[in-house]
């Protein structure tokens, strides 16, 4: 699954060219595709050679402003810089998660060469791309709220700039709340999807395939933990997952610790791991980390809580006897469902 679809405007999103004075219009097929993607939770944006105000006016006229996040439009920047800006603003880790559609081959090649990994397609390939890259068997409410979560994150970033570098002060003002729970029903669908999508930034040991996770759920549902997070700007939905093994007396093995990329730098990973630690007083907590290009932050979580580490090849094992409660990030309120 790709995460983002970026549209050119003239002769792509709509028929006609704005600066030529054309009375541009969106075909019913394109409008239907926009709405269907939006309903699925696909994040969409714009990279266009136009005046940004003109683009926004057209989006408003066609009643699709709600579909697009951080549209980019000007006559100076190459399309690759617009795509890069969208990626950075959304906090997308990889270019491979982006599809870019443009009617001009020049623009597609320019983006391909400068944003390696972006899938660049022509407008006549949109339908096939939707079927191939933006479709799955079922959609959860969490999927459908994804665009709103990204929109809320953009507002958070705007708010953070007003604190002039006092990031902790900003976090403390956000009213961040983390709920820990054992997923069940439709929540398990999101749990499995999160582990699959976010595993590059995680700390995982062993098989975490969908089949394995569902088997664990049916065998030992209490060993699966998830978190929902919300703040003054809105909800993030389910954005963290852990798989624990506690069958060995005196030991708690964290077989998987997964934090969504949109939670990085907010203290949520620390709060989640710290909560697992604090429910293990008297026991030894174990974790494992295998380095990827993106997951150094997961190792830092264990080091922050002063775990002992030992390395075997590329795999690092962590362990710590838990004797006292750990202090969690004070700006994150934590609760346990049912307590």
């Amino acid at each position: 699954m790709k995460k983002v679809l970026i549209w050119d405007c003239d002769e792509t999103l709509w028929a006609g060219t704005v600066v030529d004075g054309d009375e541009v219009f969106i075909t019913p097929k394109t409008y239907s595709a926009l709405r269907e993607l939006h309903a699925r939770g696909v994040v969409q944006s714009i990279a266009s050679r136009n005046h940004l105000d003109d683009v926004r006016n057209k989006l408003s006229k066609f009643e699709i402003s709600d579909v697009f996040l951080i549209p980019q439009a000007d006559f100076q920047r190459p399309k690759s810089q617009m795509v890069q800006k969208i990626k950075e603003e959304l906090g997308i880790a990889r270019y491979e998660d982006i599809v870019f559609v443009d009617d001009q081959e020049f623009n597609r090649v320019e983006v391909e060469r400068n944003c390696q990994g972006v899938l660049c397609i022509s407008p006549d390939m949109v339908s096939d791309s939707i079927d191939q890259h933006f479709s799955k068997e079922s959609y959860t409410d969490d999927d459908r709220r994804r665009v709103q979560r990204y929109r809320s994150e953009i507002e958070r970033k705007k708010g953070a700039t007003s604190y002039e570098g006092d990031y902790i002060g900003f976090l403390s003002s956000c009213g961040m709340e983390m709920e820990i729970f054992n997923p069940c029903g439709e929540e398990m669908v999101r749990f499995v999807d999160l582990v699959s999508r976010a595993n590059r930034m995680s700390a995982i040991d062993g098989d975490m395939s969908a089949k394995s996770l569902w088997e664990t759920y049916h065998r030992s549902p209490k060993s699966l933990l998830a978190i929902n997070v919300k703040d003054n700007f809105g909800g993030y939905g389910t954005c963290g997952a852990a798989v624990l093994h506690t069958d060995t007396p005196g030991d708690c093995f964290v077989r998987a610790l997964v934090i969504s990329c949109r939670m990085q730098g907010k203290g949520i990973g620390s709060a989640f791991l710290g909560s697992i630690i604090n429910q293990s007083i008297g026991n030894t907590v174990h974790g494992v980390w295998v380095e990827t290009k993106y997951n150094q932050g997961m190792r830092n979580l264990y080091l922050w809580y002063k775990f002992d580490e030992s390395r075997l090849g590329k795999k690092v094992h962590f362990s710590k006897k838990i004797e006292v409660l750990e202090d969690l990030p004070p700006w994150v309120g934590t609760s346990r469902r049912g307590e």
Side-chain angles (χ1 to χ4, degrees):
M1 284 282 291
K2 305 287 188 180
K3 293 183 178 181
V4 181
L5 179 58
I6 301 175
W7 296 79
D8 170 49
C9 286
D10 296 326
E11 305 297 354
T12 302
L13 178 61
W14 52 60
T17 302
V18 172
V19 296
D20 288 345
D22 295 341
E23 191 63 37
V24 301
F25 63 93
I26 292 182
T27 66
K29 182 179 180 180
T30 299
Y31 183 84
S32 178
L34 292 173
R35 283 298 172 194
E36 176 59 27
L37 289 165
H38 188 62
R40 295 179 185 183
V42 175
V43 177
Q44 299 178 80
S45 190
I46 283 171
S48 173
R49 292 196 183 281
N50 270 297
H51 289 297
L52 184 57
D53 286 345
D54 288 342
V55 169
R56 286 176 170 159
N57 288 338
K58 296 301 181 186
L59 298 181
S60 178
K61 174 184 176 182
F62 298 134
E63 298 182 343
I64 53 174
S65 297
D66 60 312
V67 171
F68 297 99
L69 300 181
I70 52 175
Q72 305 293 303
D74 63 47
F75 293 102
Q76 303 301 321
R77 289 180 296 162
K79 292 293 183 78
S80 62
Q81 290 185 12
M82 299 184 199
V83 171
Q84 182 180 5
K85 178 70 171 178
I86 293 166
K87 174 180 176 289
E88 291 173 352
E89 289 292 319
L90 292 175
I92 301 298
R94 310 184 316 145
Y95 281 122
E96 288 82 355
D97 290 323
I98 298 173
V99 175
F100 171 65
V101 54
D102 196 299
D103 66 302
Q104 295 187 31
E105 184 179 10
F106 175 92
N107 291 329
R108 298 196 298 270
V109 172
E110 192 271 329
V111 169
E112 284 178 342
R113 290 184 178 178
N114 292 286
C115 302
Q116 294 184 10
V118 173
L119 175 62
C120 297
I121 63 173
S122 58
D124 62 330
M125 299 170 64
V126 169
S127 294
D128 288 342
S129 183
I130 291 173
D131 292 340
Q132 184 175 357
H133 300 294
F134 297 105
S135 299
K136 61 181 187 176
E137 291 183 1
S138 63
Y139 294 88
T140 66
D141 288 341
D142 206 73
D143 290 323
R144 300 181 186 99
R145 290 192 291 265
R146 184 173 295 117
V147 175
Q148 182 54 49
R149 290 200 304 271
Y150 274 99
R151 194 182 301 278
S152 296
E153 180 61 17
I154 292 167
E155 293 303 316
R156 290 182 186 98
K157 289 181 178 179
K158 290 180 181 177
T161 60
S162 67
Y163 277 77
E164 298 180 350
D166 183 10
Y167 188 56
I168 298 301
F170 171 70
L171 290 173
S172 299
S173 75
C174 285
M176 201 168 291
E177 297 287 340
M178 180 182 76
E179 178 195 42
I180 305 172
F181 62 98
N182 302 112
C184 61
E186 189 178 85
E187 294 170 336
M188 265 303 294
V189 176
R190 168 58 182 162
F191 184 94
V192 171
D193 186 54
L194 176 63
V195 174
S196 172
R197 290 170 64 93
N199 57 21
R200 297 178 191 87
M201 302 183 73
S202 61
I204 285 179
D205 184 30
D207 181 13
M208 291 296 149
S209 65
K211 179 182 177 182
S212 174
L213 291 171
W214 279 106
E215 289 175 349
T216 301
Y217 171 68
H218 292 300
R219 182 179 65 251
S220 179
K222 296 295 185 182
S223 65
L224 304 181
L225 293 178
I227 56 172
N228 283 331
V229 177
K230 63 181 181 180
D231 60 21
N232 296 338
F233 299 95
Y236 295 90
T238 301
C239 53
V243 180
L244 309 181
H245 179 83
T246 56
D247 293 346
T248 304
D251 290 298
C252 172
F253 293 87
V254 184
R255 295 187 53 229
L257 184 64
V258 179
I259 304 295
S260 170
C261 60
R262 64 183 185 273
M263 290 291 98
Q264 302 299 314
K266 296 180 173 66
I268 295 302
S270 295
F272 193 17
L273 178 58
S275 296
I276 294 171
I277 291 170
N278 286 347
Q279 70 178 24
S280 305
I281 297 295
N283 294 329
T284 299
V285 175
H286 305 266
V288 68
W289 176 81
V290 180
E291 184 176 5
T292 73
K293 182 179 179 180
Y294 308 101
N295 73 342
Q296 177 64 41
M298 304 305 291
R299 180 181 181 222
N300 293 341
L301 293 181
Y302 285 101
L303 297 181
W304 173 261
Y305 285 114
K306 295 181 172 58
F307 277 69
D308 295 325
E309 64 174 347
S310 60
R311 182 180 289 270
L312 181 61
K314 293 185 177 181
K315 182 180 289 189
V316 175
H317 291 269
F318 301 98
S319 64
K320 181 177 181 177
K321 179 66 179 291
I322 310 304
E323 298 177 329
V324 297
L325 292 174
E326 296 284 358
D327 293 328
L328 306 186
W331 58 85
V332 181
T334 61
S335 63
R336 184 73 183 255
R337 184 181 295 178
E339 294 181 357

